[in-house]
């Protein structure tokens, strides 16, 4: 069983491959967003720039097949990522 090609179907046209999972930093960002922090507050907590937080959020959205933070948090919770 080759886990590198195992697919998890999220939406009919979107697939999350285990070979491109959320990074540890992306999970940290998601956890802070789920706790109610905004991008600036996440940046302060992680000692990174707000622009870097926005880049992490874009990658999170892409990997989870969503377009909004709320949906990303819900999807991550459904997948037991956070």
């Amino acid at each position: 069983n080759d886990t590198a090609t195992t697919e998890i179907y999220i939406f009919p046209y979107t697939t999350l491959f285990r070979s491109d999972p959320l990074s540890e930093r992306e999970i940290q960002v998601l956890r802070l967003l789920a706790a109610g922090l905004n991008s600036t507050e996440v940046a302060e907590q992680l000692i990174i720039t707000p622009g870097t937080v926005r880049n992490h959020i874009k990658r999170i959205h892409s990997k989870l097949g969503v377009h909004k933070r709320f949906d990303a948090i819900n999807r991550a919770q459904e997948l037991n990522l956070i």
Side-chain angles (χ1 to χ4, degrees):
N1 187 4
D2 184 8
T3 58
T5 58
T6 302
E7 300 174 354
I8 301 171
Y9 293 97
I10 298 173
F11 293 117
Y13 304 108
T14 304
T15 304
L16 173 67
F17 289 92
R18 289 187 184 167
S19 61
D20 191 19
L22 293 179
S23 70
E24 196 59 40
R25 182 62 101 182
E26 290 165 345
I27 291 172
Q28 289 174 334
V29 168
L30 262 174
R31 285 183 178 142
L32 292 171
L33 292 173
L37 279 67
N38 63 35
S39 293
T40 302
E41 294 166 332
V42 170
E44 290 170 359
Q45 284 285 319
L46 298 178
I47 312 172
I48 57 178
T49 68
T52 300
V53 173
R54 287 190 294 273
N55 287 335
H56 284 306
I57 292 169
K58 286 178 190 175
R59 284 194 301 277
I60 291 165
H61 288 179
S62 176
K63 289 179 180 183
L64 295 180
V66 298
H67 299 287
K68 297 180 181 180
R69 292 179 190 197
F70 177 79
D71 295 332
I73 292 165
N74 284 339
R75 180 65 60 211
Q77 290 171 335
E78 290 171 3
L79 296 171
N80 294 317
L81 298 174
I82 60 171

